[in-house]
Amino acid sequence: MASVAEAIARPTADTRDLVAHALEPIVVDIDRAGHYPESFMRRFGEGGLYNRHTAQNGYDFAGAIDAMSEVSRACMSTGFCVWCHDALTWYLDNAEVPETREKWLDRVASGQTLGGTGLSNGMKNVAAIEELKIHVRPTEGGYIASGTLPWVSNLAESHVFAAVFNNASTGRRVMALVDCAAPGFALKQCAEFVALEGSGTYACHFDDVFIPNDQVISHDAAGFLPRIRAGFVLLQMGMPLGVIEGCIEIMESMAKTHAHVNGYLDEQPEALREELTDLRAAVNALADEVHGNASDELFRDVLQVRERGSALSLRASQAAMLHAGARGYLADAPAQRKLRESYFVAIVTPAIKHIRKELARLEAA
């Protein structure tokens, strides 16, 4: 097994080259024009980068997080899309219905079919934060779904995503894959966001949509979700790790001309890099444990690391903005983009407040 130091130094040349040539030239277009980088997302899959954390590749969660981090360093909107797709791959790799796993896993893991994770509502439901918004009733060969999910990301008309439904007949939760091309299903444009506009985020409307059995991931999501929750949350660490790295790079670049005055600021890149190294080490230590471990102890540790990622992202992005000064206010400046991205790290499910609520529940148990 690789040491922590070796894991931290894991090579990312494959992703770095792809990001430099296929993503960095369009980052401003993604951020300002809401361009969805579908071509990049497919090339990411062609390179085998969605498949690292599956059984086929020995559950290399550290490798998946590293790849997502490299994307997020350049553009966290796209890093978020990568997480959405990685999470979907994780669900399918663990699907309890063999037909679903056999039909969908390879095509999703390869990027042939792109998709997202609609589990925000399901995870909040499990945490007693909100009710399930989609209901299903059993029918021959599957379920019929109705309702609306307000925000699901990494979607287009040819994409798929996972969601948790309330089975109106039994009161149990069902987790299943949704095909965006299914009759009765519609994607509706959301209101304009201040960031993440290029993430393919839509409201999802179900009007008696048929969900066949070979799209069901679990007929009992209440038992399934604890098995995948640690992986779901830990995979998100690719986003803060990349954002923090990008912020440190901004600070280091400004030091070439402004070290004489930026040295008076509280946050300095050297100290932030030490904290980032410690955070990466903590993530890599947990990465070997998430497969097959549904314990509350592990989930607590993952949540604590995730909270650290949010807090350090906020600090690093504010520091980058202060180090950049007036240059950070330019419409295409990386500093102001990183600032907006860091707030998303802190509010995407599980948000900081959601994490703290869940940690309090685990402490009381």
Side-chain angles (χ1 to χ4, degrees):
M1 181 179 295
S3 68
V4 169
E6 290 170 332
I8 294 172
R10 182 186 302 272
T12 58
D14 48 357
T15 14
R16 191 173 293 271
D17 184 67
L18 180 59
V19 167
H21 292 92
L23 181 61
E24 288 183 357
I26 60 173
V27 167
V28 173
D29 195 31
I30 291 169
D31 183 52
R32 300 193 65 194
H35 171 70
Y36 173 66
E38 182 169 349
S39 176
F40 173 83
M41 294 294 294
R42 293 196 184 280
R43 290 182 62 181
F44 200 81
E46 290 167 3
L49 297 170
Y50 295 129
N51 202 26
R52 291 186 173 187
H53 57 298
T54 65
Q56 184 179 14
N57 286 290
Y59 302 106
D60 182 15
F61 269 80
I65 292 167
D66 284 342
M68 192 190 310
S69 173
E70 182 61 25
V71 175
S72 298
R73 179 190 62 81
C75 176
M76 205 210 75
S77 177
T78 307
F80 172 54
C81 290
V82 169
W83 170 73
C84 291
H85 196 87
D86 275 351
L88 177 63
T89 304
W90 173 235
Y91 310 152
L92 291 170
D93 195 52
N94 286 275
E96 294 176 339
V97 179
E99 293 80 7
T100 301
R101 186 170 58 251
E102 292 163 7
K103 179 178 178 179
W104 293 99
L105 177 59
D106 286 347
R107 66 173 76 174
V108 169
S110 67
Q112 176 186 348
T113 298
L114 294 176
T117 167
L119 254 66
S120 176
N121 175 233
M123 289 295 189
K124 289 177 180 177
N125 177 255
V126 170
I129 294 175
E130 64 184 34
E131 296 294 325
L132 287 176
K133 298 182 181 297
I134 311 295
H135 301 271
V136 294
R137 62 182 188 275
T139 190
E140 183 176 356
Y143 297 92
I144 301 293
S146 297
T148 300
L149 280 177
W151 293 336
V152 183
S153 300
N154 200 43
L155 297 185
E157 292 182 358
S158 62
H159 291 30
V160 297
F161 68 96
V164 176
F165 309 87
N166 176 51
N167 186 338
S169 298
T170 65
R172 301 174 76 179
R173 304 180 186 99
V174 175
M175 184 169 170
L177 201 65
V178 179
D179 186 345
C180 293
F185 180 83
L187 296 174
K188 301 293 185 181
Q189 192 71 47
C190 295
E192 184 177 358
F193 300 122
V194 298
L196 285 296
E197 269 292 279
S199 60
T201 300
Y202 296 90
C204 297
H205 293 254
F206 296 75
D207 184 8
D208 288 343
V209 177
F210 178 56
I211 309 288
N213 283 328
D214 62 7
Q215 289 176 207
V216 175
I217 294 170
S218 173
H219 291 282
D220 182 16
F224 180 76
L225 289 175
R227 289 173 43 208
I228 54 93
R229 62 183 180 176
F232 169 92
V233 175
L234 190 66
L235 278 170
Q236 289 185 344
M237 289 304 298
M239 292 187 281
L241 292 175
V243 167
I244 296 162
E245 178 66 40
C247 291
I248 293 171
E249 289 179 358
I250 292 169
M251 297 166 71
E252 290 171 340
S253 70
M254 293 304 302
K256 297 173 184 177
T257 56
H258 288 72
H260 64 290
V261 63
N262 282 347
Y264 290 95
L265 292 170
D266 292 336
E267 299 280 13
Q268 295 298 317
E270 298 80 8
L272 285 172
R273 189 167 291 286
E274 286 184 10
E275 291 190 60
L276 176 61
T277 299
D278 289 344
L279 184 59
R280 284 190 184 277
V283 169
N284 289 333
L286 291 170
D288 292 331
E289 300 183 41
V290 292
H291 169 62
N293 188 339
S295 71
D296 285 346
E297 290 77 15
L298 173 66
F299 191 46
R300 181 194 61 221
D301 292 344
V302 169
L303 288 172
Q304 289 172 338
V305 164
R306 178 68 177 81
E307 185 181 23
R308 283 175 59 191
S310 293
L312 190 56
S313 294
L314 293 170
R315 283 175 49 206
S317 66
Q318 177 172 282
M321 194 70 183
L322 293 175
H323 278 248
R327 296 182 187 182
Y329 271 87
L330 296 175
D332 60 353
Q336 55 84 16
R337 186 176 70 250
K338 291 299 177 193
L339 186 69
R340 289 181 284 115
E341 290 175 344
S342 72
Y343 279 101
F344 187 78
V345 172
I347 66 173
V348 66
T349 302
I352 287 178
K353 57 190 177 184
H354 183 168
I355 291 172
R356 291 176 180 171
K357 181 178 187 298
E358 192 66 8
L359 286 172
R361 181 190 68 80
L362 292 171
E363 288 295 327

